[in-house]
Amino acid sequence: MRKMKALSIALTLFCILLNAQAPKKLSSAEIHHELQKLNFLGTVLYVAAHPDDENTRLISYLSNEVKARTVYLSLTRGDGGQNLIGPELRELLGVLRTQELLAARRVDGGEQRFSRANDFGFSKHPDETLQIWEKKNVLSDVIWNIRQLRPDVIINRFDHRSPGTTHGHHTASAMLSHEAFDLAGNPNAYPEQLGAVQPWQPKRLFFNTSWWFYGSREKFAQADKSNLLQMDTGKYYPKLGISNNEIASLASSQHLCQGFGRVSTRGSQTEYIELLKGDLPNDKSNIFEGIDTTWSRVEGGGAIGEILTGVEKNFDFNDPAVHLPQLMEAYALIQQLENEHWKNLKAEHLKDIILACSGIFLEANASSASTTPNGNVKVDFEVLNRSSNQITLKSITINDVSASLKPDLELKDNEKHNLELTFSIPSDKTFTSPYWLNEKGSLGMYEVSNKSLIGKPSTPNAFQVGFELEFNNSTRIRFTKPLIYRHSKPDKGELHEPFVVLPKVTSSFADDVVIFADSQPKQIALAIRAGTDSISGTASLNHPDSWEVKPKSINFNIAQKGAVQTVYFEVRPPTKESEGFISPKISMSGRTYDKKLVEIIYDHVPKQSILLDSEAKVVRLNIQKSGENIGYIVGAGDKVPESLRQIGYNVYPIDIATIEEGTLDKYDGIVVGIRAYNVLDDLRFKQPILLDYVKNGGNLIVQYNTAGRWRQQFKNIAPYPLTISRDRVTDENAKVDIIAKNHPIVNSPNPITEKDFEGWVQERGLYFPNEWDAQFTPILSMGDSGEPAKKGSLLVAPYGKGNYIYTGLSFFRELPAGVSGAYKLFANMLSLGKDNVEKENEIKG
């Protein structure tokens, strides 16, 4: 399991547990806090575009100070971003960032929702965004969420009136929310939704503004604020022993893959929201003024409110269990409500409080972390009542299966009970995987056939276990818990994992892309993983017509679940340049399996199991190179080293702690990974040695770094003045002009033409320099539609006997995607200035 730096924080409800999947256990103070939330009937929907866009200060304030149900609707899952802590990109990054958002909400007390929009990468204008997102469908999702959640208030993170001034996704999120505010209450808008939800008209729409949107603090101080509400989000919560902005900092720090780990803050802090639609409250600090947020807003709710308010006011912090009779009475009355929305929402919340007050522990622990359809699962149920109340366990049931227990067991104070049950997984049980990845979508939208899943943050648990308890021989309540796998490791302690259903067999290639730099065959390894004991079958490969694969099929036998058998196929490319895909065909007992299993494991989020189509891109290209041994300084993490090995380089990771004078001479070139100067503090001590390496004849290639996140000591990362900007070219098909046509970098050893910029993915590049010394030669010119061309994507400067190269081109995306032209250009960069391109170093066509 990958490590993350430990945070030194107070031991409170909002501490970050090492085991991110462990069930929350509430103290008396926290139970009382939840009671206050139970007695507030108001909802806020906060809308933005990506994970880490949300204002955790405001979300935490609304949830913990106002006590409102507070939901963050992130239109995307952040698939198009970068990853600071690991190799996950695109859809896998979206899975990771989804879980980081859920971790943040566990800290700040909010809830999480999504649309089907795919984060296709940076967009400069909302018009482009809405075209790629298929506006009608994303707007439908926003309205669907509004109708489901029924918010009184909506708050946009971004301004819908300023297109082109920020990320197009940002502005588009605000524009969609602004439009949905009116349409959600119109029964003629998206009427196909009305079988499952009803029209809903929120009362107010706000924009979460700040001085930043005004250009400066001075301009904001002089601005007319008559239409603005303001809240002090630095509130201190004595009952919880923590302040709101400390909670917010901890929540933001869950976005580790985006580099949002931060120290906590304290003290008064003002947030502003601008009214866009609805009536302006007289109390400029109360967004709910004039909206009934008591139980009286629900017909029949008055009596419930009286009971729960009494419990709240007279709460016994020493023995919360004394309130069970009143809580039971309130629960019974909630069941009689005709308003299904509040009935369902508040009943589930009250059930959690009842469990916490009575000290009841309910758990369903599977004997393993996974199984397969038709497999058997042994479950250990642990049930414990830690109060003097009379409680009886009447039954235990599991969804989708007929197996159940009816123990009719009296639960005496602090007397633990363990029960067992073995059940069979239905043959048609759906595999556990992120639901939005189960079908092939478009560039801008995920495809989700099951409409009931739209908006949900993650795939529902494979199995839910119902524990029916009877209180004081009268009230029966069914409590639901997910089936989990709880175990321990010597170096981790107790661990909780989601229980998942997986195929009987999965398979994967060692590399997502295999480059054939000549016409010689390669041995391609296919790892076959058993999802259950004692499997056997045959493996074969689907392949492009012009490619050859031997043998036609290979038998396999795997005795134990979880074991992997690797088989090898000889794949021979055509003599000419070509590309395509190979995919496995695993035949077993008359069925074919073609999925690979990817597991994402970090300390701060629950383990994730993802099933994707198993395939590898195969690329035959004619390429030449000079040099053999390349040193690589890993920055934020990328797959460039593996890609360079594909074309015959020996790539050696360089530990910056070991860099000393003379230790770099053995390398024919050195590559600095993406964002290295942003994340490696100690690189500052080694910069003079790297530049000496160049001066002595080496080639140093520095890939993109993020402007605005520089360490102070890294303002001069090049031998000559160089200013990194936020310039980028987001259109992967943008026209590229070679402006230094005679420069060796585009001529030797591989001639580079405009054709080599075809087939790029997601973008051309990012964070280009916009100012540079005359020693630098700009090689390429490119620009997005309607913008001036930018010349800073690839800059080369001689320094001493060697060459310093800075590039913002997105090689970290293009090389793992198997883009032929990107490989040729990178080989030229590494070969620059080398006059020993001998025939034995050529990779012949």
Side-chain angles (χ1 to χ4, degrees):
M1 189 179 287
R2 304 179 186 97
K3 306 291 184 182
M4 68 175 184
K5 292 183 179 179
L7 298 173
S8 176
I9 56 177
L11 188 60
T12 68
L13 164 65
F14 303 99
C15 288
I16 309 309
L17 297 176
L18 176 64
N19 184 350
Q21 191 67 7
K24 182 191 295 184
K25 300 177 179 66
L26 301 182
S27 68
S28 293
E30 292 159 354
I31 295 172
H32 188 257
H33 190 66
E34 290 303 314
L35 269 169
Q36 291 177 317
K37 290 184 178 182
L38 182 67
N39 279 330
F40 190 95
L41 279 69
T43 301
V44 179
L45 180 63
Y46 194 91
V47 181
H50 311 107
D52 74 32
D53 281 347
E54 80 273 27
N55 184 339
T56 55
R57 294 183 300 276
L58 194 51
I59 289 176
S60 179
Y61 175 86
L62 293 169
S63 176
N64 296 298
E65 172 65 17
V66 179
K67 307 298 190 301
R69 183 191 188 196
T70 309
V71 185
Y72 174 41
L73 172 58
S74 175
L75 295 194
T76 78
R77 297 175 186 268
D79 322 69
Q82 288 85 48
N83 187 352
L84 192 68
I85 62 175
E88 294 86 5
L89 290 174
R90 291 303 310 158
E91 67 271 8
L92 294 180
L93 179 60
V95 174
L96 174 56
R97 296 189 73 183
T98 292
Q99 291 302 314
E100 289 188 336
L101 268 177
L102 289 171
R105 299 293 79 78
R106 286 192 292 271
V107 173
D108 60 32
E111 299 176 33
Q112 187 60 52
R113 288 295 186 106
F114 292 95
S115 80
R116 290 170 292 169
N118 190 347
D119 179 4
F120 55 85
F122 192 89
S123 175
K124 293 181 177 179
H125 200 280
D127 289 350
E128 176 197 40
T129 299
L130 294 174
Q131 180 180 3
I132 295 175
W133 273 358
E134 305 169 23
K135 176 188 174 182
K136 179 181 177 181
N137 291 329
V138 183
L139 180 59
S140 170
D141 289 359
V142 177
I143 292 173
W144 171 262
N145 276 285
I146 292 173
R147 287 172 171 174
Q148 273 197 331
L149 298 168
R150 303 169 76 84
D152 302 291
V153 175
I154 297 177
I155 302 175
N156 291 343
R157 183 69 181 103
F158 299 103
D159 189 358
H160 70 286
R161 301 160 295 193
S162 55
T165 61
T166 182
H167 197 321
H169 296 181
H170 293 169
T171 310
S173 71
M175 294 169 66
L176 290 167
S177 177
H178 190 269
E179 187 171 352
F181 180 86
D182 294 324
L183 292 177
N186 183 350
N188 296 318
Y190 297 93
E192 68 278 4
Q193 297 180 358
L194 300 185
V197 293
Q198 295 302 311
W200 177 256
Q201 182 57 59
K203 299 293 191 299
R204 294 171 183 137
L205 175 67
F206 293 96
F207 159 46
N208 185 192
T209 191
S210 71
W211 68 264
W212 189 87
F213 291 97
Y214 286 75
S216 70
R217 295 183 187 275
E218 292 74 21
K219 290 181 180 179
F220 183 62
Q222 298 170 5
D224 178 11
K225 298 183 179 63
S226 59
N227 207 37
L228 269 59
L229 276 67
Q230 63 184 63
M231 291 155 281
D232 182 0
T233 57
K235 294 284 187 180
Y236 177 66
Y237 306 129
K239 185 168 55 179
L240 301 177
I242 195 170
S243 65
N244 188 77
N245 38 21
E246 287 176 291
I247 294 171
S249 296
L250 293 173
S252 292
S253 289
Q254 299 312 294
H255 296 296
L256 294 180
C257 73
Q258 298 304 295
F260 269 52
R262 61 186 61 182
V263 296
S264 57
T265 59
R266 284 157 289 278
S268 180
Q269 190 167 11
T270 302
E271 284 290 336
Y272 295 89
I273 56 174
E274 176 190 355
L275 181 71
L276 300 177
K277 292 188 177 185
D279 60 303
L280 183 68
N282 293 319
D283 181 351
K284 294 295 186 70
S285 65
N286 182 6
I287 65 173
F288 283 98
E289 185 187 64
I291 300 173
D292 187 358
T293 58
T294 70
W295 277 98
S296 62
R297 79 178 293 175
V298 182
E299 185 176 353
I304 301 169
E306 288 181 11
I307 295 170
L308 294 177
T309 300
V311 174
E312 179 188 331
K313 289 181 177 179
N314 301 292
F315 189 73
D316 188 334
F317 288 89
N318 292 320
D319 186 11
V322 301
H323 300 294
L324 277 181
Q326 298 100 306
L327 297 178
M328 291 297 154
E329 184 181 358
Y331 180 81
L333 290 174
I334 289 175
Q335 300 311 301
Q336 299 173 21
L337 294 177
E338 293 184 4
N339 187 312
E340 292 294 323
H341 173 74
W342 289 112
K343 173 183 175 180
N344 296 331
L345 190 66
K346 292 302 182 179
E348 289 303 312
H349 195 177
L350 179 53
K351 283 160 64 174
D352 290 339
I353 292 173
I354 289 171
L355 283 183
C357 283
S358 58
I360 294 174
F361 182 84
L362 304 172
E363 182 182 78
N365 181 27
S367 56
S368 63
S370 67
T371 190
T372 63
N374 293 319
N376 292 323
V377 181
K378 178 176 170 289
V379 184
D380 175 72
F381 304 101
E382 184 175 334
V383 183
L384 182 64
N385 168 29
R386 291 169 287 194
S387 76
S388 59
N389 285 273
Q390 185 178 3
I391 302 174
T392 303
L393 174 63
K394 303 300 288 185
S395 67
I396 299 176
T397 56
I398 304 173
N399 69 298
D400 296 338
V401 299
S402 58
S404 64
L405 293 175
K406 296 184 178 180
D408 201 20
L409 180 65
E410 183 179 352
L411 305 178
K412 296 182 179 179
D413 188 4
N414 211 31
E415 184 178 301
K416 186 178 73 168
H417 297 275
N418 288 95
L419 301 92
E420 292 183 359
L421 175 66
T422 298
F423 70 95
S424 179
I425 305 297
S427 60
D428 60 350
K429 183 67 177 176
T430 303
F431 297 135
T432 306
S433 188
Y435 70 85
W436 61 94
L437 299 179
N438 288 338
E439 303 170 69
K440 188 174 180 60
S442 64
L443 173 64
M445 289 289 291
Y446 284 117
E447 182 67 31
V448 180
S449 296
N450 186 348
K451 303 306 180 186
S452 67
L453 292 174
I454 293 174
K456 293 185 182 295
S458 56
T459 300
N461 295 97
F463 291 100
Q464 294 281 357
V465 179
F467 297 84
E468 186 182 34
L469 302 182
E470 184 179 76
F471 295 81
N472 299 322
N473 294 320
S474 57
T475 306
R476 289 191 182 189
I477 302 178
R478 185 176 185 271
F479 299 92
T480 302
K481 296 290 181 179
L483 180 60
I484 63 164
Y485 174 55
R486 177 167 58 88
H487 62 114
S488 66
K489 289 184 177 181
D491 60 336
K492 294 292 182 183
E494 185 177 83
L495 299 172
H496 295 67
E497 295 180 16
F499 177 79
V500 296
V501 178
L502 300 173
K504 290 185 176 180
V505 62
T506 54
S507 59
S508 61
F509 296 104
D511 299 298
D512 294 332
V513 174
V514 183
I515 304 296
F516 292 79
D518 57 27
S519 59
Q520 295 302 307
K522 284 188 176 185
Q523 292 290 109
I524 303 298
L526 178 68
I528 303 172
R529 181 186 184 276
T532 187
D533 291 339
S534 303
I535 66 168
S536 62
T538 61
S540 59
L541 295 186
N542 300 314
H543 57 87
D545 291 340
S546 56
W547 295 64
E548 297 179 7
V549 174
K550 295 180 181 179
K552 294 295 184 184
S553 66
I554 300 175
N555 295 325
F556 66 88
N557 292 276
I558 307 176
Q560 290 185 325
K561 174 183 176 179
V564 175
Q565 180 179 338
T566 302
V567 298
Y568 296 88
F569 293 90
E570 181 182 275
V571 177
R572 181 181 293 274
T575 56
K576 296 182 179 180
E577 290 194 344
S578 173
E579 63 181 52
F581 290 89
I582 57 173
S583 59
K585 179 181 178 182
I586 308 298
S587 300
M588 196 171 69
S589 301
R591 183 171 176 179
T592 300
Y593 298 85
D594 58 2
K595 297 293 185 182
K596 68 177 178 180
L597 173 64
V598 181
E599 294 179 332
I600 296 178
I601 305 174
Y602 290 96
D603 286 342
H604 65 303
V605 297
K607 177 182 176 182
Q608 298 297 297
S609 299
I610 304 103
L611 294 170
L612 301 173
D613 290 336
S614 183
E615 63 181 14
K617 185 176 183 180
V618 288
V619 180
R620 166 72 173 97
L621 58 85
N622 295 315
I623 188 171
Q624 295 180 326
K625 67 180 182 65
S626 176
E628 299 293 335
N629 301 316
I630 305 301
Y632 202 93
I633 299 174
V634 178
D638 57 58
K639 294 185 178 181
V640 172
E642 296 93 318
S643 300
L644 295 179
R645 292 186 183 103
Q646 293 266 14
I647 56 173
Y649 285 108
N650 302 315
V651 183
Y652 302 94
I654 297 177
D655 182 352
I656 60 174
T658 65
I659 296 177
E660 302 293 344
E661 291 289 349
T663 61
L664 305 179
D665 296 342
K666 58 188 175 184
Y667 299 116
D668 297 308
I670 294 176
V671 181
V672 180
I674 61 172
R675 297 173 69 177
Y677 290 97
N678 298 136
V679 300
L680 301 177
D681 287 345
D682 290 345
L683 196 52
R684 57 179 164 161
F685 302 118
K686 309 299 180 177
Q687 184 70 5
I689 301 175
L690 289 173
L691 295 181
D692 283 345
Y693 165 79
V694 179
K695 186 182 293 186
N696 293 331
N699 278 350
L700 178 65
I701 300 173
V702 178
Q703 298 181 85
Y704 96 92
N705 283 265
T706 306
R709 294 188 184 178
W710 291 101
R711 310 294 186 187
Q712 183 69 24
Q713 59 272 18
F714 286 142
K715 289 195 171 179
N716 298 310
I717 65 168
Y720 311 109
L722 181 72
T723 302
I724 309 300
S725 73
R726 301 182 68 86
D727 287 351
R728 61 174 76 205
V729 176
T730 61
D731 183 359
E732 63 270 32
N733 299 310
K735 187 177 186 305
V736 177
D737 291 319
I738 301 173
I739 56 177
K741 297 185 183 298
N742 296 323
H743 198 284
I745 207 167
V746 290
N747 287 284
S748 177
N750 304 286
I752 302 297
T753 68
E754 292 181 7
K755 183 176 177 60
D756 289 302
F757 295 94
E758 296 177 0
W760 284 50
V761 298
Q762 186 162 326
E763 61 201 354
R764 288 297 187 195
L766 62 170
Y767 294 103
F768 296 165
N770 61 353
E771 296 180 7
W772 51 83
D773 189 86
Q775 291 289 336
F776 284 101
T777 299
I779 306 298
L780 307 171
S781 175
M782 60 188 71
D784 286 318
S785 177
E787 294 186 354
K790 297 173 176 60
K791 299 180 180 181
S793 63
L794 178 57
L795 302 173
V796 185
Y799 184 62
K801 299 177 182 178
N803 295 280
Y804 178 95
I805 302 170
Y806 186 93
T807 179
L809 293 171
S810 59
F811 288 107
F812 74 104
R813 297 195 191 278
E814 313 312 323
L815 297 184
V819 178
S820 300
Y823 275 93
K824 292 179 180 178
L825 182 55
F826 212 100
N828 282 12
M829 289 159 58
L830 289 170
S831 302
L832 185 62
K834 311 293 184 185
D835 55 7
N836 58 338
V837 187
E838 305 292 344
K839 292 204 179 217
E840 60 265 26
N841 287 338
E842 293 181 0
I843 303 174
K844 299 178 181 178

